[in-house]
Amino acid sequence: MTHPVTDLIHHPYVAPSGFDAPQPAVHKASTVFFPSVAAMRSREWKDKSAYTYGLHGTPTTYALEERLSTLEGGRQCILVPSGLAALATVAMSLLKTGDAMLIPDNVYSPNKALAEGELAAWGISHQTYNPMDPGDLESKISPATRLVWVEAAGSVTLEFPDLVALVQICKRKKVLVALDNTWGAGLAFAPFDLLPTIQPGLGVDISAHALTKYPSGGGDVLMGSVTTRDQDLHLRLKLTHMRLGLGVGANDAELILRALPSMDLRYRAHDEVTRALAQWCQGQTEFVQVLHPALEDSPGHRHWRALCKNGAGGAAGLFSVVLDARFNRDQVDAFCDALQLFRLGYSWGGPISLVVPYDLTSMRKQWPVHLQRGTVVRFAVGLEAFEDLRQDISQALQALH
Ligand SMILES: *Cc1c(COP(=O)(O)O)cnc(C)c1O
């Protein structure tokens, strides 16, 4: 007879198998049991054929990885605790002392901070290139270049590059190209198949995605993914990921699994209202420029149209305005503070609209030639009704005067 205390731990009851319900189960584990020492010695986690340790994956994380691979058109996927961790995992897996990395001028700022901080300290150099000039990228690729980052659209200023041309240059120069695919989210365009009818299979080598944004959709989860199509490349990333001890919580994985089925609908809803608001903003004299890839005079519009199926692929929920240079910082701050529905906050992809004023002069080496002078304010549109958001911007404009 065992003591009831022990019975509570080694309980004989086993629930019947075959439970079936809409949502995948949430499996939590650090420890994973083996039936025998032989099983312990022989199990392989790298190809997801078995389980060995919580950090190496559970049915919950395997299921999420497979769904994200499908979303992006990849074959393998790794989960990390944030979008930024996805960018860092790529750099740390692929670069060593003496190597060089290229990032676009309008890169997601924390990626640049990583390059200027840890990567520089480890003897890995970086340069920025003009994403709107493929020739500039080509001329900056040296024999030391091991990784090129691309973003479509670019962060904050939303220029849409000729992604096909940038990727073709990297292929020709035999340099790995990684996309920060948070904006496209696997819905606007297919990162691993940019020209499906003309050149099937032409695509990036790696897609890093901040699941924090659209896959979560709630503004309440931080997670990232690194998706690939090449098994050897995946293993390089996966082994670094394992050695760094990066894992994600089962409850967070559950939230993303729950939100994925509605992601396409949400993306389209954000997109529709964003386009309407961006168009309306074009008619306001306080804004000297509106940046949104679907607007005809926005930088790179034709590249967006060509890649994103003439607009049917989508254009996400971000747009920026350039406020006339005659407004000083206090006036711009007052405009942002006066907004009621647009809340001040970073990140995006959730139901609540957000606004952030940016000091572009501190972020870019020089003022981009295609941008009017002024202050850039970025809006991330949530799921509220168009007319309410339009009125909110309209009333806040009074604070400028
Ligand atoms: C938000 C974001 C990230 C980082 O995601 P976190 O989960 O917040 O670390 C990376 N790239 C882009 C383009 C983003 O918008």
Side-chain angles (χ1 to χ4, degrees), residues 261-283:
S262 65
M263 181 176 155
D264 185 62
L265 292 173
R266 289 185 280 107
Y267 193 85
R268 281 169 207 292
H270 290 292
D271 181 353
E272 191 185 322
V273 172
T274 305
R275 289 192 211 198
L277 278 175
Q279 260 167 27
W280 178 80
C281 284
Q282 276 189 312

Short mmCIF file of all heavy atoms in Angstrom, two decimals, residues 261-283:
data_model
loop_
_atom_site.label_atom_id
_atom_site.label_comp_id
_atom_site.label_asym_id
_atom_site.label_seq_id
_atom_site.Cartn_x
_atom_site.Cartn_y
_atom_site.Cartn_z
N PRO A 261 -6.95 31.20 -36.58
CA PRO A 261 -8.03 31.03 -37.56
C PRO A 261 -8.72 32.33 -37.96
O PRO A 261 -9.26 32.41 -39.06
CB PRO A 261 -9.00 30.07 -36.85
CG PRO A 261 -8.15 29.33 -35.87
CD PRO A 261 -7.13 30.33 -35.40
N SER A 262 -8.71 33.34 -37.10
CA SER A 262 -9.39 34.59 -37.45
C SER A 262 -8.42 35.64 -37.99
O SER A 262 -8.81 36.78 -38.27
CB SER A 262 -10.11 35.17 -36.22
OG SER A 262 -9.16 35.53 -35.23
N MET A 263 -7.16 35.26 -38.16
CA MET A 263 -6.17 36.26 -38.52
C MET A 263 -6.42 36.91 -39.88
O MET A 263 -6.32 38.12 -40.04
CB MET A 263 -4.79 35.61 -38.49
CG MET A 263 -3.68 36.56 -38.83
SD MET A 263 -2.13 35.68 -38.64
CE MET A 263 -1.09 36.60 -39.72
N ASP A 264 -6.77 36.10 -40.86
CA ASP A 264 -7.01 36.63 -42.20
C ASP A 264 -8.16 37.64 -42.18
O ASP A 264 -8.08 38.71 -42.79
CB ASP A 264 -7.30 35.47 -43.17
CG ASP A 264 -7.43 35.96 -44.59
OD1 ASP A 264 -6.45 36.50 -45.12
OD2 ASP A 264 -8.52 35.82 -45.17
N LEU A 265 -9.22 37.31 -41.45
CA LEU A 265 -10.37 38.23 -41.36
C LEU A 265 -9.97 39.53 -40.67
O LEU A 265 -10.37 40.62 -41.10
CB LEU A 265 -11.51 37.58 -40.55
CG LEU A 265 -12.20 36.38 -41.19
CD1 LEU A 265 -13.17 35.75 -40.20
CD2 LEU A 265 -12.94 36.83 -42.45
N ARG A 266 -9.20 39.41 -39.60
CA ARG A 266 -8.78 40.61 -38.87
C ARG A 266 -7.87 41.46 -39.74
O ARG A 266 -7.99 42.69 -39.80
CB ARG A 266 -8.07 40.21 -37.56
CG ARG A 266 -9.02 39.63 -36.51
CD ARG A 266 -8.29 39.37 -35.19
NE ARG A 266 -7.52 38.13 -35.19
CZ ARG A 266 -6.21 38.03 -35.24
NH1 ARG A 266 -5.46 39.12 -35.32
NH2 ARG A 266 -5.61 36.86 -35.22
N TYR A 267 -6.93 40.81 -40.44
CA TYR A 267 -5.98 41.53 -41.29
C TYR A 267 -6.73 42.36 -42.34
O TYR A 267 -6.42 43.51 -42.59
CB TYR A 267 -5.04 40.52 -41.95
CG TYR A 267 -3.81 41.11 -42.60
CD1 TYR A 267 -2.66 41.37 -41.86
CD2 TYR A 267 -3.78 41.37 -43.97
CE1 TYR A 267 -1.52 41.89 -42.46
CE2 TYR A 267 -2.64 41.88 -44.58
CZ TYR A 267 -1.51 42.13 -43.82
OH TYR A 267 -0.38 42.64 -44.41
N ARG A 268 -7.74 41.74 -42.93
CA ARG A 268 -8.53 42.45 -43.95
C ARG A 268 -9.33 43.60 -43.36
O ARG A 268 -9.48 44.65 -43.99
CB ARG A 268 -9.45 41.46 -44.67
CG ARG A 268 -8.72 40.66 -45.69
CD ARG A 268 -9.46 39.49 -46.26
NE ARG A 268 -8.47 38.51 -46.68
CZ ARG A 268 -7.62 38.69 -47.69
NH1 ARG A 268 -7.69 39.79 -48.41
NH2 ARG A 268 -6.73 37.77 -47.98
N ALA A 269 -9.83 43.39 -42.14
CA ALA A 269 -10.59 44.47 -41.49
C ALA A 269 -9.69 45.65 -41.15
O ALA A 269 -10.04 46.82 -41.39
CB ALA A 269 -11.27 43.93 -40.23
N HIS A 270 -8.49 45.37 -40.60
CA HIS A 270 -7.53 46.44 -40.32
C HIS A 270 -7.20 47.18 -41.62
O HIS A 270 -7.16 48.41 -41.67
CB HIS A 270 -6.20 45.86 -39.79
CG HIS A 270 -6.25 45.27 -38.40
ND1 HIS A 270 -6.43 46.02 -37.27
CD2 HIS A 270 -6.10 44.00 -37.97
CE1 HIS A 270 -6.38 45.24 -36.20
NE2 HIS A 270 -6.18 44.00 -36.59
N ASP A 271 -6.95 46.40 -42.66
CA ASP A 271 -6.52 46.91 -43.96
C ASP A 271 -7.56 47.88 -44.54
O ASP A 271 -7.24 49.00 -44.95
CB ASP A 271 -6.30 45.70 -44.88
CG ASP A 271 -5.82 46.08 -46.27
OD1 ASP A 271 -5.78 47.28 -46.60
OD2 ASP A 271 -5.51 45.17 -47.05
N GLU A 272 -8.83 47.46 -44.53
CA GLU A 272 -9.88 48.26 -45.16
C GLU A 272 -10.01 49.64 -44.50
O GLU A 272 -10.04 50.68 -45.18
CB GLU A 272 -11.20 47.49 -45.05
CG GLU A 272 -12.31 48.07 -45.89
CD GLU A 272 -13.63 47.34 -45.65
OE1 GLU A 272 -13.61 46.10 -45.48
OE2 GLU A 272 -14.66 48.03 -45.62
N VAL A 273 -10.05 49.66 -43.18
CA VAL A 273 -10.22 50.93 -42.47
C VAL A 273 -8.96 51.78 -42.60
O VAL A 273 -9.03 53.01 -42.74
CB VAL A 273 -10.58 50.66 -40.98
CG1 VAL A 273 -10.58 51.96 -40.18
CG2 VAL A 273 -11.95 49.99 -40.90
N THR A 274 -7.79 51.12 -42.60
CA THR A 274 -6.53 51.86 -42.72
C THR A 274 -6.45 52.59 -44.06
O THR A 274 -6.08 53.76 -44.13
CB THR A 274 -5.33 50.90 -42.58
OG1 THR A 274 -5.47 50.19 -41.35
CG2 THR A 274 -4.02 51.65 -42.59
N ARG A 275 -6.82 51.89 -45.14
CA ARG A 275 -6.78 52.54 -46.46
C ARG A 275 -7.72 53.74 -46.51
O ARG A 275 -7.38 54.81 -47.04
CB ARG A 275 -7.18 51.55 -47.57
CG ARG A 275 -6.11 50.51 -47.80
CD ARG A 275 -6.38 49.73 -49.07
NE ARG A 275 -5.88 48.37 -48.95
CZ ARG A 275 -5.64 47.57 -49.97
NH1 ARG A 275 -5.87 47.97 -51.20
NH2 ARG A 275 -5.19 46.35 -49.77
N ALA A 276 -8.90 53.59 -45.92
CA ALA A 276 -9.88 54.68 -45.94
C ALA A 276 -9.37 55.87 -45.12
O ALA A 276 -9.50 57.03 -45.54
CB ALA A 276 -11.22 54.19 -45.40
N LEU A 277 -8.77 55.59 -43.97
CA LEU A 277 -8.25 56.68 -43.13
C LEU A 277 -7.08 57.38 -43.81
O LEU A 277 -6.97 58.61 -43.78
CB LEU A 277 -7.78 56.13 -41.78
CG LEU A 277 -8.84 55.90 -40.70
CD1 LEU A 277 -8.18 55.25 -39.50
CD2 LEU A 277 -9.52 57.20 -40.30
N ALA A 278 -6.19 56.58 -44.42
CA ALA A 278 -5.02 57.17 -45.09
C ALA A 278 -5.48 58.09 -46.21
O ALA A 278 -4.95 59.19 -46.39
CB ALA A 278 -4.11 56.06 -45.62
N GLN A 279 -6.49 57.65 -46.95
CA GLN A 279 -7.03 58.48 -48.03
C GLN A 279 -7.63 59.77 -47.50
O GLN A 279 -7.40 60.85 -48.04
CB GLN A 279 -8.11 57.71 -48.79
CG GLN A 279 -7.56 57.12 -50.08
CD GLN A 279 -8.53 56.09 -50.66
OE1 GLN A 279 -9.74 56.17 -50.43
NE2 GLN A 279 -8.00 55.14 -51.40
N TRP A 280 -8.36 59.66 -46.41
CA TRP A 280 -8.98 60.84 -45.82
C TRP A 280 -7.89 61.81 -45.35
O TRP A 280 -7.99 63.02 -45.55
CB TRP A 280 -9.90 60.44 -44.66
CG TRP A 280 -10.51 61.62 -44.00
CD1 TRP A 280 -11.59 62.35 -44.42
CD2 TRP A 280 -10.03 62.27 -42.81
NE1 TRP A 280 -11.83 63.40 -43.56
CE2 TRP A 280 -10.89 63.37 -42.56
CE3 TRP A 280 -8.98 62.03 -41.93
CZ2 TRP A 280 -10.71 64.22 -41.47
CZ3 TRP A 280 -8.81 62.87 -40.85
CH2 TRP A 280 -9.67 63.96 -40.62
N CYS A 281 -6.83 61.27 -44.76
CA CYS A 281 -5.73 62.11 -44.25
C CYS A 281 -5.05 62.87 -45.39
O CYS A 281 -4.54 63.98 -45.18
CB CYS A 281 -4.71 61.27 -43.49
SG CYS A 281 -5.29 60.81 -41.84
N GLN A 282 -5.05 62.29 -46.59
CA GLN A 282 -4.45 62.98 -47.73
C GLN A 282 -5.14 64.31 -48.02
O GLN A 282 -4.55 65.21 -48.58
CB GLN A 282 -4.54 62.10 -48.99
CG GLN A 282 -3.41 61.09 -49.08
CD GLN A 282 -3.41 60.39 -50.42
OE1 GLN A 282 -4.45 59.92 -50.89
NE2 GLN A 282 -2.25 60.32 -51.05
N GLY A 283 -6.39 64.42 -47.62
CA GLY A 283 -7.14 65.64 -47.87
C GLY A 283 -6.97 66.70 -46.77
O GLY A 283 -7.55 67.77 -46.86
#
